[in-house]
Amino acid sequence: MPQIPQSLHELTVGQLSARSGAAVSALHFYESKGLIHSRRTSGNQRRYTRDALRRVAFVRAAQRVGIPLATIREALAELPEERTPTREDWARLSAAWRAELDERIAQLGRLRDHLTDCIGCGCLSLETCVLSNPDDVSGDRISGSRLMPERRHGGAALRSDVPGSDAPRHTDGPAAG
């Protein structure tokens, strides 16, 4: 890792990239999303203050644990005068993100378990498969492919195949089936 002299208070995008391990394109992207900031020289080159190193490290660490960039940006915006995040900031923010991460982990666990069930079964049944037929509201009453009966509401046929739908179902005659 290249050493940057302590007397150098601003970094080029190449120096920031080399020190942080983030690609130049990633740094440009972070800047476009408001995660880091630079100033422009008279030659229109980016210059970053040294604290951008800690901000990039903060962003990359948060990304590695699955925190969306929008959430990271909100967290950085809460810091006074957009200062560099400290160890205490990270502890406070990571504690707040813990519940969100725990819920995502639980959701992924459920997905994994359903995938295992599906692979074990192999049928991809529209009757019972939670992966190919999620949120099946009729599966506990009937099985297999069925044309859902129409409900009449004020003389107009309503779609009963879409739960909670009051959208008229346009038919030119009796339902086939």
Side-chain angles (χ1 to χ4, degrees):
M1 182 176 309
Q3 295 297 314
I4 299 172
Q6 288 292 333
S7 60
L8 188 62
H9 296 289
E10 290 187 318
L11 308 173
T12 66
V13 70
Q15 290 169 323
L16 182 58
S17 173
R19 284 291 307 223
S20 68
V24 169
S25 59
L27 296 173
H28 291 169
F29 180 74
Y30 291 164
E31 188 171 359
S32 73
K33 297 298 179 186
L35 298 165
I36 59 175
H37 306 283
S38 68
R39 73 167 186 88
R40 297 294 181 127
T41 66
S42 59
N44 203 30
Q45 296 176 332
R46 290 177 169 94
R47 292 293 186 264
Y48 298 91
T49 57
R50 291 182 67 88
D51 66 306
L53 280 168
R54 184 174 293 260
R55 289 178 76 88
V56 170
F58 180 91
V59 170
R60 294 187 74 196
Q63 278 188 294
R64 273 194 292 277
V65 297
I67 305 300
L69 287 177
T71 304
I72 298 168
R73 182 180 55 244
E74 290 168 7
L76 288 171
E78 290 177 11
L79 298 177
E81 298 178 22
E82 296 187 10
R83 70 168 163 73
T84 301
T86 63
R87 182 182 310 247
E88 292 78 23
D89 294 325
W90 178 257
R92 180 178 45 82
L93 292 168
S94 63
W97 293 335
R98 188 181 241 350
E100 180 183 336
L101 291 173
D102 287 343
E103 176 54 34
R104 275 201 240 153
I105 290 167
Q107 185 178 27
L108 286 171
R110 289 189 300 272
L111 179 60
R112 179 204 55 224
D113 295 344
H114 290 312
L115 181 61
T116 302
D117 294 344
C118 190
I119 292 170
C121 168
C123 73
L124 294 177
S125 167
L126 289 179
E127 178 182 339
T128 59
C129 184
V130 295
L131 292 179
S132 63
N133 191 18
D135 304 320
D136 182 10
V137 296
S138 298
D140 58 345
R141 291 178 291 155
I142 60 173
S143 63
S145 176
R146 299 273 195 274
L147 179 62
M148 298 302 292
E150 293 179 356
R151 294 181 300 150
R152 294 273 173 198
H153 181 73
L158 299 178
R159 294 184 61 147
S160 60
D161 59 334
V162 179
S165 173
D166 289 333
R169 181 177 188 179
H170 300 287
T171 59
D172 292 329

